[in-house]
Amino acid sequence: MTFDIITKHAFFFLLSTLAIISPIVQAGDPDIISDFVLPPNATEVNGTFFTYTTLRSIVSNPQPATSLTVIKTTMAEFPALNGQSVSYAVLLYPPGDVNPPHTHPRSAELLFLLGGGLEVGFVDTTNKLYTQTLKAGDMFVFPKGLSHYQYNPDSNNSAVAVSAFGSASAGTVSIPMAVFATGIDDGILAESFKTDVATVQKIKAGLTPPPPKP
């Protein structure tokens, strides 16, 4: 499978937008008291301010990802989203790759699978796991703030999805990185996970990018 499915299904971007504006926008960002929020020192605005073109290349010249690729469209990349309680992400999954467990503290996530297949799941506050196998055209909602993941089990074909968020800046907390790559003492982690320091250090080494070659 190639990523020409993005071109064939580009209109689903619009479908996703219409699907998420009403139900998800209610949770997340505070209301604003103006039609939109301008950047500091802006005195004049036109239609260009409300247009984001960075994703054109994904549709016009799609390329298979060699590693998990998440292309975010939040208010950091698209300032017109500030105050609008909505944002996007395009996710490209190579064969056999995983988007590790993570959370979005400020929004639910509505994932729409454009092509390929995914195994997805989230864990609620009672530690119950909810899983599903998705096919192209399926949607799945990850509730706000709950730990969740996506996995492409196909060893030959890629997958591509679009995620919509009810926040202009939903935030992402990677659980492996938050636990093992933020300086928490090895002894504390070893005690917390009922293991030894050597195991903790091995996990940390696996999460740390190798130094650049000279």
Side-chain angles (χ1 to χ4, degrees):
M1 185 192 70
T2 64
F3 280 95
D4 61 359
I5 55 175
I6 304 177
T7 304
K8 294 178 181 178
H9 298 285
F11 73 93
F12 283 129
F13 281 96
L14 175 61
L15 175 64
S16 304
T17 302
L18 295 176
I20 62 93
I21 286 177
S22 294
I24 295 186
V25 77
Q26 298 175 5
D29 302 351
D31 289 336
I32 58 175
I33 56 174
S34 59
D35 294 335
F36 46 84
V37 179
L38 292 178
N41 303 320
T43 57
E44 185 177 349
V45 64
N46 55 34
T48 302
F49 175 69
F50 302 99
T51 305
Y52 188 71
T53 62
T54 301
L55 299 179
R56 286 181 180 178
S57 61
I58 299 177
V59 176
S60 62
N61 186 30
Q63 299 293 327
T66 56
S67 60
L68 175 70
T69 302
V70 181
I71 306 166
K72 296 181 179 181
T73 306
T74 71
M75 70 180 191
E77 296 82 20
F78 188 13
L81 296 183
N82 188 9
Q84 302 304 319
S85 298
V86 64
S87 60
Y88 265 126
V90 178
L91 301 102
L92 310 177
Y93 308 84
D97 212 341
V98 64
N99 190 4
H102 60 280
T103 68
H104 303 294
R106 293 184 287 274
S107 176
E109 175 182 357
L110 182 60
L111 182 143
F112 179 40
L113 184 59
L114 290 174
L118 288 178
E119 293 181 5
V120 301
F122 71 86
V123 179
D124 70 10
T125 55
T126 68
N127 288 328
K128 181 177 179 179
L129 174 64
Y130 298 82
T131 63
Q132 186 60 272
T133 298
L134 303 182
K135 297 180 180 180
D138 292 346
M139 302 181 84
F140 191 87
V141 63
F142 301 101
K144 179 180 178 181
L146 298 185
S147 175
H148 60 279
Y149 65 89
Q150 301 109 29
Y151 169 59
N152 178 10
D154 195 321
S155 59
N156 297 310
N157 296 308
S158 302
V160 57
V162 173
S163 283
F165 301 90
S167 169
S169 181
T172 301
V173 179
S174 168
I175 293 176
M177 297 300 290
V179 173
F180 292 101
T182 54
I184 299 176
D185 182 78
D186 290 351
I188 293 174
L189 291 175
E191 180 63 26
S192 299
F193 287 92
K194 306 305 178 186
T195 186
D196 52 61
V197 169
T199 300
V200 169
Q201 292 176 342
K202 185 176 181 179
I203 294 173
K204 284 186 173 183
L207 293 174
T208 303
K213 295 181 179 180

